[in-house]
Amino acid sequence: MDNNYSNNYNGQSQTQQQQQGGYAGGSPNSYQNYNQQYYNPYQQPTGGNGTAGRPPKKKSGFGATLGKCAAIALVFGLVAGSVFTGVSYVGTKALGVTGSKQASSSSASVTQTSTGDAKDLSDVSAMAKEAMPSIVAITNTGTVSYQTFWGVQEQESESCGSGIIVKQDDKYLYIVTNNHVVSDAESLTIQFVDNETVECEVQGTDESDDLAVVKVLLKDIPSDTLSAIKVATVSEDSDSLEVGQGVIAIGNALGYGQSVTNGIISALGRTITVQDEQTGQTVVNNNMIQTNAAINPGNSGGALLNANGEVIGINSAKYSDTQVEGFGYAIPMSDAMPIVEQLIENGKIDQSQVAYLGIQGQDISSSVAEAYNMPTGVYVYQVMKGSAAEEAGLQQGDIITEFDGQKITSMSELKQYIASHKAGDKVEITYERMSNGYQEDTLKVELGAQSDASSSSQNPFTNK
């Protein structure tokens, strides 16, 4: 950066020097050449044979002196006027300026530059002011252990995140956030928009989707705070989202309090894999909203809003790399709200609604596929008896390449696509089966329920 700045700066200096050098070497020459065209009244006339002519008759007295002064003044005026005209002509040609427009009066006022609304620099202050009362800051207090020379030591630690007020009933205020914001908490506190702080408790969590709901007793919230906060307006219409659509993100960035950033939807339907630093659990999320609105530590659990001020996503993760900038991700509310409603209602996910396929599988990576002439996908090495997969006709040795129109390259992807459906949903699976080489085929599957599985430990495609 310093080098670039230095190079650019030096380049400008050289250009200026070159311009100055051009001006110093060019104008006097032109000016001199132009002057050579004028008649010198003091040059002695020559005769036809090149010899000097007869000297002029000498005059004396005051009249002669006055005449000389008048002649000198006349000649000076002619020369000066011609030179001024010539310089003005050269200057206007060189600068591309015409002299046709002239000020009509010396008292005319200079026009002020115009102002107007810049459509590409939207003012989101009104939207932020309206949405801010529905966003909270969450502080997670816990104990961390670490190894020292004297053995294992423990100390209290704090982490921060954000949350969105989504519902109120007669007793509680419910706030949705990310599971990693509240995991391993010994105590949780909520800070509202007026900086009032109260304790809260976890209502329910869904680790596989990185979602959680916390609740606050209404009687613990001061009346002034209750009048200041709001329940967020949620949009579950994910079909209306478009790449390039303007959005803003609100959250407790870096734990400093609520802040606002803006950007656009950069992409839709992204699949990301995130490892929780506290639990070590790997979470794979598909159908994520990608945005270039700044998502920083502490923003997790905060709101991603559209231009109407509706919450369209829960800010969840940021891609962190020295070579990458502007990659933040949010869970669409269309995916989150069915889970949130279950957590509010039951405190857990209803396993009777969780989709279940009933296979065990192994990744066929691109390198393995190339080495053994196999398709890329998930190799089925076991089909559970009585499962939806068995009833549909999947067999051991099949390689699943697509699930309901989505290309499959790993078990984690297949698991997440299954989890995005409910029990009873009918989907189409594309697979390849060995028969004189691999042959592609499709079949329709009615997904079963997780509660019907005889043992979730045998099934790698659960939501737990």
Side-chain angles (χ1 to χ4, degrees):
M1 181 67 72
D2 293 337
N3 291 334
N4 291 337
Y5 177 83
S6 177
N7 291 337
N8 290 336
Y9 179 82
N10 291 338
Q12 291 175 353
S13 298
Q14 293 168 3
T15 302
Q16 292 172 356
Q17 292 171 2
Q18 291 169 359
Q19 290 175 345
Q20 292 172 355
Y23 177 84
S27 295
N29 291 337
S30 300
Y31 178 80
Q32 183 179 3
N33 293 335
Y34 187 80
N35 284 343
Q36 287 175 351
Q37 299 176 11
Y38 292 100
Y39 166 69
N40 185 349
Y42 300 106
Q43 183 178 352
Q44 290 183 350
T46 59
N49 58 1
T51 60
R54 186 174 59 183
K57 186 176 181 181
K58 184 176 180 180
K59 295 182 180 181
S60 60
F62 177 76
T65 303
L66 182 61
K68 289 181 180 180
C69 291
I72 292 172
L74 176 62
V75 171
F76 178 80
L78 290 172
V79 173
S82 300
V83 171
F84 179 80
T85 303
V87 172
S88 176
Y89 176 80
V90 172
T92 55
K93 289 298 183 180
L95 298 177
V97 179
T98 61
S100 59
K101 294 183 179 180
Q102 299 179 358
S104 59
S105 172
S106 60
S107 62
S109 61
V110 178
T111 304
Q112 187 176 3
T113 57
S114 62
T115 60
D117 295 331
K119 302 301 182 183
D120 58 336
L121 296 175
S122 301
D123 183 355
V124 298
S125 57
M127 180 172 34
K129 183 178 180 180
E130 180 66 22
M132 196 76 78
S134 66
I135 312 299
V136 303
I138 301 177
T139 301
N140 178 336
T141 303
T143 302
V144 296
S145 301
Y146 57 96
Q147 184 69 40
T148 69
F149 180 80
W150 296 274
V152 177
Q153 302 291 323
E154 292 184 346
Q155 73 175 27
E156 187 178 87
S157 68
E158 285 188 353
S159 59
C160 61
S162 307
I164 309 167
I165 302 172
V166 292
K167 188 176 181 180
Q168 174 191 349
D169 59 20
D170 294 337
K171 189 175 181 181
Y172 291 104
L173 192 71
Y174 296 98
I175 299 163
V176 62
T177 185
N178 290 131
N179 178 67
H180 72 261
V181 171
V182 300
S183 62
D184 298 329
E186 295 178 3
S187 67
L188 290 169
T189 57
I190 296 290
Q191 185 179 55
F192 293 103
V193 66
D194 63 348
N195 297 323
E196 184 69 32
T197 301
V198 298
E199 292 187 356
C200 66
E201 61 179 301
V202 175
Q203 168 68 8
T205 63
D206 178 15
E207 295 179 1
S208 64
D209 293 296
D210 195 23
L211 290 171
V213 172
V214 298
K215 59 184 179 182
V216 182
L217 283 168
L218 292 177
K219 65 181 183 64
D220 292 341
I221 305 175
S223 58
D224 290 344
T225 300
L226 279 174
S227 62
I229 62 178
K230 297 180 180 181
V231 175
T233 300
V234 175
S235 173
E236 297 183 53
D237 184 14
S238 60
D239 293 337
S240 66
L241 301 181
E242 295 182 358
V243 173
Q245 178 180 342
V247 293
I248 71 169
I250 304 180
N252 181 24
L254 305 179
Y256 294 153
Q258 305 298 354
S259 64
V260 179
T261 57
N262 69 331
I264 61 170
I265 294 177
S266 303
L268 295 168
R270 292 301 200 211
T271 298
I272 65 170
T273 301
V274 180
Q275 185 171 16
D276 192 324
E277 295 180 356
Q278 295 181 347
T279 65
Q281 181 185 8
T282 298
V283 178
V284 180
N285 290 319
N286 60 14
N287 199 34
M288 299 286 280
I289 302 171
Q290 180 184 321
T291 178
N292 68 337
I295 307 295
N296 294 297
N299 273 109
S300 292
L304 188 70
L305 300 100
N306 61 17
N308 297 323
E310 301 168 326
V311 180
I312 60 172
I314 301 172
N315 300 323
S316 179
K318 175 185 179 180
Y319 192 96
S320 181
D321 191 282
T322 57
Q323 297 180 341
V324 177
E325 184 176 344
F327 272 35
Y329 297 92
I331 303 170
M333 296 308 290
S334 56
D335 293 347
M337 284 309 295
I339 298 172
V340 170
E341 290 168 357
Q342 287 192 52
L343 294 177
I344 292 175
E345 186 70 22
N346 306 315
K348 60 181 182 180
I349 301 298
D350 183 2
Q351 296 298 317
S352 65
Q353 296 297 314
V354 177
Y356 173 73
L357 180 60
I359 68 164
Q360 289 184 344
Q362 183 174 346
D363 294 357
I364 302 295
S365 64
S366 57
S367 58
V368 172
E370 184 178 356
Y372 295 97
N373 196 25
M374 302 170 69
T376 302
V378 171
Y379 177 83
V380 178
Y381 66 83
Q382 185 176 357
V383 178
M384 304 301 180
K385 289 187 177 181
S387 67
E390 184 183 52
E391 292 179 1
L394 277 176
Q395 300 177 9
Q396 181 182 3
D398 291 345
I399 299 177
I400 299 174
T401 57
E402 289 187 15
F403 181 88
D404 205 27
Q406 301 291 334
K407 187 176 179 61
I408 300 298
T409 60
S410 66
M411 287 176 56
S412 60
E413 284 184 356
L414 179 58
K415 172 180 177 291
Q416 289 300 311
Y417 287 130
I418 294 172
S420 65
H421 289 76
K422 295 181 179 180
D425 286 353
K426 295 181 179 180
V427 298
E428 188 174 84
I429 292 179
T430 300
Y431 66 96
E432 295 198 24
R433 180 174 294 171
M434 175 63 76
S435 176
N436 294 325
Y438 281 97
Q439 304 293 324
E440 185 178 272
D441 202 353
T442 60
L443 52 82
K444 291 190 178 296
V445 181
E446 181 176 345
L447 297 173
Q450 179 63 44
S451 58
D452 297 335
S454 58
S455 174
S456 61
S457 62
Q458 293 180 336
N459 176 29
F461 304 117
T462 66
N463 286 338
K464 292 297 181 184

